[in-house]
Amino acid sequence: METQVTTQRATVRSAGIRFGLIGAVISIAYFVILNVSGVDITRGFWSWFGYLITAVLIFFAHKYYKENGDGFMPYGQGIGVAFWLGLISGSISSIFSYLYIKFIDTAFIDMIKDKQIEAMQQQGLPDEQIDKALEISSMFMTAEAILIMGLIGGIIAAVIIGLIVTIFTQKKNPEPAF
């Protein structure tokens, strides 16, 4: 008696979700490690390193999709994979950040504000200008605002990075399906 093993082909959604989950774990670990070590994650190299990680994840998600699909990936499907990756990774890591800021490290927002004040003072800005800037930024410096911006920003960043990465990873089917 023969047994048939059927493997499911990867879909745009399944590839994006798989690597979105991986991205969420990496993002959370990255955030915790940098935060515990006292690294300023709001500016400099470490703030941009996350985008590199996203680009690498999108690359591997595209590779996975092609290897576990029909071997092809048009440009639109590559963007779809990036969208799902950003949605899942951004949602999970934003929820984690919200819980962390709201319940674990309630002084996190104050630390960010202190770093902003220090940076503005180093630039030589007058106190009234610093106060005005803090007044405006305080609207966006809540756990809830960070959650919403993380959700939206995660999707937008992944799609923009996906637009670029897909240029290099797409593989069109030479025989169009009719």
Side-chain angles (χ1 to χ4, degrees), residues 17-177:
I17 290 173
R18 172 185 292 252
F19 283 86
L21 292 170
I22 294 168
V25 170
I26 292 170
S27 178
I28 290 168
Y30 180 71
F31 174 80
V32 169
I33 290 168
L34 291 182
N35 196 37
V36 168
S37 63
V39 174
D40 185 2
I41 59 175
T42 61
R43 58 179 50 94
F45 171 77
W46 296 110
S47 67
W48 291 98
F49 190 69
Y51 296 118
L52 178 63
I53 293 170
T54 301
V56 169
L57 284 169
I58 291 171
F59 171 82
F60 282 114
H62 288 171
K63 184 176 188 272
Y64 172 83
Y65 177 76
K66 290 184 286 189
E67 288 175 353
N68 293 285
D70 60 5
F72 301 104
M73 184 188 70
Y75 192 75
Q77 289 177 343
I79 303 305
V81 170
F83 167 81
W84 283 103
L85 187 149
L87 177 67
I88 299 303
S89 180
S91 297
I92 294 170
S93 60
S94 293
I95 291 169
F96 172 82
S97 296
Y98 170 79
L99 295 172
Y100 180 84
I101 293 167
K102 192 76 171 178
F103 302 109
I104 297 170
D105 186 1
T106 55
F108 182 81
I109 301 272
D110 292 331
M111 178 195 64
I112 298 295
K113 286 180 184 178
D114 291 343
K115 287 182 181 182
Q116 282 182 330
I117 292 169
E118 185 180 316
M120 288 186 274
Q121 287 173 338
Q122 287 176 352
Q123 292 176 359
L125 296 177
D127 288 342
E128 56 272 353
Q129 200 171 2
I130 292 173
D131 291 341
K132 186 68 175 169
L134 286 176
E135 182 182 323
I136 293 168
S137 69
S138 290
M139 293 184 287
F140 303 103
M141 286 294 193
T142 65
E144 293 78 13
I146 291 172
L147 169 71
I148 292 167
M149 289 186 298
L151 290 169
I152 294 168
I155 295 168
I156 291 171
V159 169
I160 290 171
I161 293 168
L163 287 167
I164 297 166
V165 172
T166 306
I167 291 170
F168 304 102
T169 59
Q170 69 179 324
K171 185 174 181 185
K172 296 177 185 169
N173 189 343
E175 298 176 18

